Each structure stands twice: as structure tokens, then as C-alpha cells.
DNA sequence: TTTAGCACTCGAATAGAAAGAGTGCTAACA
DNA sequence: TGTTAGCACTCTTTCTATTCGAGTGCTAAA
């Protein structure tokens, strides 16, 4: 177990390193106003902390640097809860102030604001529309061979896709189909749409139409839109600010990862509720070795629908970022719940 | 005027520098099989070429490096027309082979393929939909205060936007409006849609509806969608491969620029027809100082609708890239014209 | 006109040497 | 017994000097 003094010294070392990015030595630590121990004493404690794995040295006679375990302990036990400045609060509130822009725009704004406030990289996974309910379905024929399927949800989200029409289908028939579809499928959540298309409408169609199967099938296929939200990344180049990323290869690794949508999905895929902190190799991704990731999911009602995250160096301002991410995710949850949860 | 031998030497210097990224010296040049002059002769010619501004030295006793003027001359007069490998042709053709994916997807593929083929960064400005014609208009009410406007074009492109509904509007009235809109506006190009909404429908609306102005106005506003295509960038991190971009500040400059959509639009905004080459400071953008840009627009019929571009170091493989960009832009023009120009 | 020869320049690489920051250990101290 | 002063030691960084090599420019000869 750690003594109070060790905790204090560990905390002050990490705080200092987060600020300066320089290995911290006993002499400089002792100079601080709020430290009343001699360099020698501090050296002893440092040696102990290193033995326990909380600190590391970059070489035999350098100052100490927090290890991953050190950061972990710091985040779990030593974090002084940060508070937000008024200006930060208003900035965050303003993101969702303007409903008119549409949800996507708002989510993108969230990413921008987040990266500007932190000067790290922000990642926002837009809400998935699974549980949004069908408001209206349309099939618009484009020419003899193709048509566009359009799905409007009760949240105002629109999905559309081109699909091919079978030979010799009549516009009038399509109109009938659309009527049946709307009649039967309004209110169905997107996640269930594809199955219900068949279950709910087949019989009616059979009765009133011939040759409906092919169109229905194509339509059902076109409706299986992406079940996952869109990804927005803000401040991609902020990583260039970090002194430990002077190395072009390191930057490249991270940048490459950011270009791969799939990797990013995996990275921030929500695990538990609340704010999550993943430090360095705690992230599965190789490229994240020198980075930390702070995520929080936001919800509509009790259902988590998306994630916001901050990607920065391991030497991140954990306290501030955690507060920020926590605050924004709650804000988003509140706004979205108020907006969309009136439906249930 | 330049002598034949000077041309030859200039060409061979630039070719060599493009390959090696190293300043080229007289001794090494003379060693090449196809060079039959002595180092001393070459030195004399080099001195002349430098005096004329086609070459530069990085320091007093270094080899020569092409100047911007040198590249310009090289591109304008010395380029041996490249040819494409069969595999490259098929790769390009395959981009638009699959119509079903939709235009956007295809354009994005074009960006990916371009960057993979060149290992530079590719930029593709998706087709603007200005001259696409309205196929169908919809207004779907979401709740009492808001509705979604949907515009489907004859190319299968769908635009949609949320807008607010004035108080106390009846669903039946909206339906009437939609009917009028479709009746009067089908076939109108998107670019003229906004004006025509008023010009063509006001009278009919007045006759059959009251209180239509507000909705019509909101709808018109919502229809003024972006008049410009979407931007796709492929291989953003390819710049890391270039040895002259070992400097993190240079990379940052370029990366920052790539994140700013507006700058990118400005950068590749089409000027003239055909393949354009802009070398270094010929681009207005400060960040492009050490880069070259090769652009070509593609068309539907005679109307240019979008642009493809390659962004690389000044030391770019001009010949190959020009051929590639030229080929792809023509291919896109062909495919798109065949697809969409049957309408006129 | 071309080329061989040579002195000269400059950058890159190499090797010490010195400075500076920091450590670990021992011994003295409160 | 915990704390601290002192000191030798380690390792990085910085500076300087030197050397090496690639390349140039100029002159004179072929």
C-alpha cells in the first residue's frame, strides 16, 4: 500500500509531467512551493514508486516519467475533480441549441467544439437510428430499371438508396405497394423493418398485386441501411501539437488509424456506461500505444445510442477532459431524450 | 533558347531527382548509360541552366535541384507521354462498373483508387447536381412543428432537409401542396428550383389553399441545397512517404489544409478544361508551397460537373500522374454522360 | 568545343570533451 | 528511525574540431 506521502509525490509528479512533458527530477520537485521535502527524501520515495511500477526512467540518470500503471492509478485514485469554466459550459450548450440544423450537423458541431476546447482529437459516433421509427416510406421510380427507396423516420432522419426494378413493373403498382407499406409499417423501428416488410405486407400484396415479390425483395434489401451511426472526427491535426509526437512515424501511425473508419469504430465501441479511460496499450489498437482515449456514451432515455471520445497523448489532461466529456455526454443525453423520447 | 543538349540534360536531371529526391551532380549524371558527355561538360551546361533559372543549388557545392521554373518547363515541353499498365486501366474501369452502389460511392472509390495507384493524395470533387432535374418532391410532416423536405432527381440523388412548419397547418393541405409542386416542378433543374417554386406554383396554390405562403417559403429555403458536390480525399497520409516531408511542420501545414473543406474547394476549383498542372507557389494556397497539384475536370455531355485531382510533392511523377488523371477523367465523363445525358 | 586536372566549398559524419541534470548510496543529523 | 547533506557516478546534450566525400568552378590542354 502507498503512504500518503507517496500518493502526494506520485500525484505531483504526474501533474508536472502532464504539464511539461519533461521527465521530472527530485531537485526540481523539491523547489515547488507546496513540496516541503528535500530532494533526497523525494529520491527515496521515487525509487520506491519506481520499484512498485508507478514510475519509469527513460535512462539510468534521467528524471522519472509516469508508467502506464502510474497513469492508471492516477486516474483511478488521484484525480481532483475538475470544473468547467462558464465559457466552456455555454459553448457546449450551444451545440444543441439550434435544432433546425438537423441532428447530423449538431453531432458534427459537438466534435468540433470538443476538439477546440481540449486541443486534442475528438471522435463522435453519431446516434444509430435503430430504434427510430418509420414515419414514411417512398419508392420513386427513376427510369425503367431503377428506383430510389426513401425511409423517413420520426426523428426526421432520411435514408435512401437506389435499387433496380424488375422488368415491366407498372407505376400504378408501385403506388399501391407504397400505400400498403406505409399502411403497415409506420411506427416500426428501423431495426425491425427488414423482417417486418415481409411479415406484415406479403399477404396484402398478394391479394392486390401480382409480380410484387421482386420489387419487395429489392426494397427490403435497400432498407437494410447501416445499423450504426456516422463517425465525426474533429481536430485531427491536433496531435501535431504534442511534443512527444515530434516523431513522424508515431504521428503517421495515429493518422493512418484515424483514416480507417473500421478501426475507429472498434476503438470507441462502447463497453460500459459512464466515462471510460483507456490508457496506452489498454486500447487494443497498436497505434494507440502512446495515446489515451476517454469515451462516454450518450443515450436516448436508457438506450445508449452513440459515443463521444477524446484521443490524446497518454500525458493527457485527464481531469479536465473527463469532466468535459462527462458533461457533454450528459448534455447530449438530456437534449436527445427530451427531443426523441416523447415517442414511447 | 535552350540547345538540344541542355534540354536533354535538364530532362535527365529532373527525371533523376524525381526518382531519387537527391540533388544530382555532374559525376553521377555522366555515369548514366544514355549520357555520353563528361562531367565537366555537364557542369558547364548545368551552370547555364542554373543561370537561366531552371535549376538551383541547395548550397554552394551541392548537386542541382530543379527550380519551380524548371518543373514548369519540364511539364510543358519535356514530358514523355506515359502509358498505363493494363492493370491500371482495369482498376480504373472497375470504379464505375458497379452502377448499383450509387454515384457517391463510385466517386469515393475513384478517390481511393487514384491514391492507391499513385501513392499520392487524391481529391475528388463529386458531381454537382445543379443540372439534374427534379423527379419528385415530398414533404413529410414529422410532428406539429416540423417536416422534412425531400427532393429526388432524375439521377437518383436525394436531398433532404428538416424545416419548421407554421402553426395550424393541415396534413391535407400539405398533401395538396405536394401535388401541386410535383405537377409544376417535375423536370426543373435543381439550379432553377428555388425561383421556380415561387414562379410556377404561387398562383395555383392561392386558388386552392389558404395559408400556403409560410410553408412554401420554408420549403423553398430548404430546397436551396448546396450547389456544389461533395469532396472526397483519398490517401491523406501518403504525404508521409515523401522524404522531403520528414519535417513535421511541413506535413502539418498540408494536413491542416486538407481538413479545411473550403480551402480544398478553392484549391481544386476548375479553371480551364483538360489536365491542369499547378506547381508549388502557382497554387494560391500557402501550404502548397512544396506541393504540386494535378487536376482535371469531368463532365456530363459538355457541362463540367466535377473535378479529380492529385496532390503530391513538387517532385511528382508528372508523366504518370497526368496520364492517369487524364484517363480517369475521360472515363468518368464517358460513363456519366452515357448514364445521365440521355435526358436532354 | 570538349575534357582533364585541381583547388576549393560545404554538408555530413565522427569523435572527444565538457556541461548539466539526475540518480543511488553512505554517513551524519534531529 | 526517518530525513537530509554530500559525493561519486551515469547518461544525455551540446559544442568543437576534424575528417571525408561529393560536388563545383576555373584553367589549360587536347
Amino acid at each position: 500500500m502507498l503512504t500518503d506521502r507517496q500518493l502526494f509525490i506520485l500525484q505531483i509528479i504526474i501533474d508536472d509531467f502532464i504539464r511539461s512533458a519533461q521527465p521530472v527530477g527530485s531537485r526540481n520537485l523539491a523547489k515547488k512551493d507546496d513540496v516541503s521535502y528535500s530532494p533526497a527524501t523525494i529520491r527515496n520515495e521515487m525509487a520506491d514508486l519506481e520499484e512498485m511500477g508507478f514510475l519509469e526512467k527513460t535512462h539510468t540518470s534521467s528524471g522519472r516519467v509516469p508508467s502506464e500503471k502510474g497513469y492508471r492509478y492516477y486516474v483511478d485514485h488521484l484525480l481532483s475533480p475538475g470544473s468547467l469554466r462558464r465559457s466552456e459550459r455555454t459553448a457546449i450548450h450551444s451545440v444543441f441549441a439550434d435544432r433546425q440544423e438537423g441532428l447530423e450537423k449538431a453531432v458534427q458541431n459537438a466534435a468540433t467544439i470538443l476538439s477546440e476546447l481540449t486541443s486534442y482529437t475528438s471522435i463522435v459516433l453519431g446516434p444509430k437510428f435503430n430504434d427510430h421509427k418509420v414515419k414514411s416510406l417512398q419508392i420513386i421510380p427513376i427510369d425503367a430499371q431503377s428506383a430510389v427507396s426513401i425511409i423517413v423516420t420520426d426523428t426526421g432522419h432520411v435514408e435512401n438508396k437506389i435499387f433496380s426494378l424488375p422488368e415491366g413493373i407498372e407505376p400504378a403498382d408501385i403506388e399501391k405497394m407504397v400505400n400498403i407499406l406505409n399502411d403497415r409499417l409506420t411506427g416500426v423501428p428501423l431495426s425491425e423493418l427488414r423482417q417486418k416488410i415481409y411479415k406484415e405486407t406479403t399477404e396484402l400484396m398478394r391479394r392486390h398485386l401480382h409480380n410484387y415479390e421482386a420489387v419487395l425483395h429489392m426494397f427490403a434489401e435497400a432498407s437494410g441501411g447501416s445499423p450504426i451511426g456516422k463517425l465525426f472526427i474533429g481536430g485531427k491535426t491536433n496531435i501535431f501539437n504534442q511534443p512527444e509526437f515530434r516523431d513522424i512515424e508515431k504521428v503517421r501511425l495515429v493518422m493512418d488509424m484515424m483514416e480507417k473508419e473500421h478501426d475507429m469504430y472498434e476503438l470507441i465501441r462502447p463497453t460500459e456506461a459512464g466515462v471510460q479511460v483507456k490508457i496506452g496499450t489498454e486500447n487494443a489498437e497498436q497505434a494507440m500505444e502512446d495515446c489515451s482515449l476517454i469515451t462516454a456514451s450518450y443515450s436516448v432515455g436508457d438506450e445508449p445510442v452513440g459515443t463521444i471520445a477524446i484521443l490524446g497523448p497518454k500525458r493527457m489532461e485527464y481531469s479536465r477532459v473527463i469532466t468535459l466529456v462527462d458533461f457533454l455526454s450528459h448534455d447530449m443525453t438530456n437534449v436527445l431524450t427530451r427531443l426523441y423520447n416523447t415517442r414511447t
Side-chain angles (χ1 to χ4, degrees), chain A residues 32-168:
Chain A
K32 282 180 188 282
D33 285 346
D34 43 355
V35 177
S36 53
Y37 314 109
S38 76
T41 310
I42 295 174
R43 275 205 291 284
N44 284 333
E45 299 288 30
M46 278 174 153
D48 289 350
L49 286 167
E50 182 176 0
E51 207 163 289
M52 289 185 274
F54 294 109
L55 296 177
E56 288 170 350
K57 280 188 287 196
T58 59
H59 57 87
T60 7
S61 77
S62 74
R64 300 307 206 291
V65 159
S67 70
E68 224 157 80
K69 185 177 169 189
Y71 282 122
R72 175 45 62 200
Y73 194 90
Y74 174 82
V75 167
D76 289 342
H77 302 108
L78 299 175
L79 229 47
S80 46
S83 63
L84 297 178
R85 257 179 275 133
R86 178 176 269 305
S87 63
E88 295 172 324
R89 279 164 198 271
T90 39
I92 289 176
H93 282 314
S94 77
V95 174
F96 285 84
D98 186 7
R99 284 187 52 192
Q100 212 46 231
E101 284 274 15
L103 195 49
E104 265 203 8
K105 200 77 190 164
V107 167
Q108 181 159 16
N109 283 347
T112 307
I113 296 250
L114 213 45
S115 70
E116 279 172 4
L117 286 180
T118 59
S119 66
Y120 301 125
T121 301
S122 69
I123 311 164
V124 177
L125 181 60
K128 56 181 179 207
F129 297 100
N130 271 342
D131 59 334
H132 296 193
K133 302 191 178 56
V134 170
K135 190 83 191 180
S136 167
L137 300 168
Q138 301 285 332
I139 299 178
I140 314 282
I142 297 301
D143 51 35
Q145 306 104 44
S146 51
V148 180
S149 71
I150 297 179
I151 304 171
V152 183
T153 70
D154 57 350
T155 59
H157 177 75
V158 177
E159 300 245 343
N160 67 273
K161 200 158 184 186
I162 301 185
F163 65 99
S164 24
L165 286 178
E167 297 267 318

Side-chain angles (χ1 to χ4, degrees), chain A residues 211-226:
Chain A
N211 193 19
Y212 66 93
E213 290 99 340
V215 186
L216 192 62
H217 181 67
M218 292 308 294
F219 180 75
E221 283 305 308
S223 313
S226 75

Side-chain angles (χ1 to χ4, degrees), chain A residues 168-175:
Chain A
I169 190 91
E170 294 289 322
D173 287 343
I174 289 185
E175 210 167 302

Side-chain angles (χ1 to χ4, degrees), chain A residues 286-306:
Chain A
Q286 158 83 35
M288 291 291 291
E289 202 181 345
D290 296 310
C291 300
S292 282
L293 186 78
I294 296 181
T295 55
S297 58
Y298 59 93
S299 316
V300 171
D302 291 333
E303 173 80 7
V305 294

